[in-house]
Amino acid sequence: MDDPRKRFADLYDENYRRVLAYALTRTESHTAEDVASETFLIAWRRLADIREPALPWLLGVARNLLYKQRNGGYRRHALADRVAAMTTDADLIAWDVAEHVVERDSAAAALAVMSEKDLEVLTLVTWHGLTPRDAAKVVGCSTAAFQVRLHRARRRLVKALDGAPARRPRPSVTGGAERVTR
């Protein structure tokens, strides 16, 4: 494609939401929007360097920008806090398909003990749908090294889930009035 403006517009239209989603899993919304915007500013400047598929390159840029804004273990704790904040009493009363997989509290506890690197490896593959080859480009390692990291992260996640707090008793509704029992 010879027209750089057209190529950039297509690149932006195809990838902006995914870059923003990647940033949102690691920081607050206003910061994530800034990171996504700056990622595409860099993409415009380095348009000739971007190969297809472009998403791994873009996520790698976003990742580097997020590391510049890193503040200790903030993101790991923020993710666990966000999951916990999403759980309400109504969630505990209502039937939820996710409860059949893993109790939210157990998942939040397991995520809270996972390292930031393990969370990143797992989310690149599961939430962002990247292949191990493309995810390896994002984190800057070989595909084989990424496969090893992914295997180890999955193993640690299983261990963290096994060590998570026991499930709470199911809430009960008695006498026509809703009451959560613990």
Side-chain angles (χ1 to χ4, degrees):
M1 183 177 298
D2 292 345
D3 184 13
R5 290 180 186 197
K6 170 82 169 110
R7 180 169 183 234
F8 179 78
D10 291 344
L11 180 77
Y12 182 89
D13 290 342
E14 292 171 14
N15 296 292
Y16 178 80
R17 286 185 176 188
R18 294 182 78 183
V19 171
L20 179 60
Y22 176 81
L24 282 169
T25 61
R26 285 158 180 73
T27 190
E28 309 87 26
S29 61
H30 66 279
T31 304
E33 291 169 0
D34 291 345
V35 167
S37 297
E38 192 170 346
T39 297
F40 282 94
L41 178 63
I42 292 168
W44 171 251
R45 290 181 191 148
R46 300 197 48 206
L47 194 58
D49 298 335
I50 303 173
R51 307 263 185 265
E52 291 299 326
L55 186 60
W57 188 90
L58 292 167
L59 292 181
V61 171
R63 178 178 187 255
N64 290 338
L65 291 171
L66 287 164
Y67 275 130
K68 286 182 182 177
Q69 297 178 358
R70 183 179 174 184
N71 183 11
Y74 168 74
R75 279 180 272 149
R76 179 170 33 114
H77 297 295
L79 178 61
D81 291 345
R82 279 187 243 147
V83 171
M86 291 188 301
T87 304
T88 65
D89 288 340
D91 291 328
L92 297 174
I93 293 171
W95 180 80
D96 187 2
V97 174
E99 290 178 11
H100 289 284
V101 179
V102 176
E103 178 71 35
R104 280 186 177 177
D105 288 344
S106 298
L111 289 173
V113 299
M114 298 291 295
S115 74
E116 188 175 322
K117 288 183 179 187
D118 283 347
L119 288 174
E120 180 178 35
V121 167
L122 292 168
T123 59
L124 284 171
V125 173
T126 57
W127 289 357
H128 299 291
L130 294 180
T131 64
R133 181 180 179 192
D134 289 341
K137 291 177 186 175
V138 173
V139 298
C141 67
S142 70
T143 303
F146 185 84
Q147 292 276 25
V148 170
R149 289 180 189 181
L150 180 60
H151 172 75
R152 290 177 179 166
R154 285 176 174 159
R155 195 172 60 208
R156 285 189 281 269
L157 177 60
V158 168
K159 185 177 178 181
L161 287 169
D162 288 343
R167 293 178 55 116
R168 286 191 214 162
R170 278 220 175 260
S172 66
V173 178
T174 59
E178 294 180 358
R179 190 181 79 172
V180 176
T181 59
R182 293 196 176 153

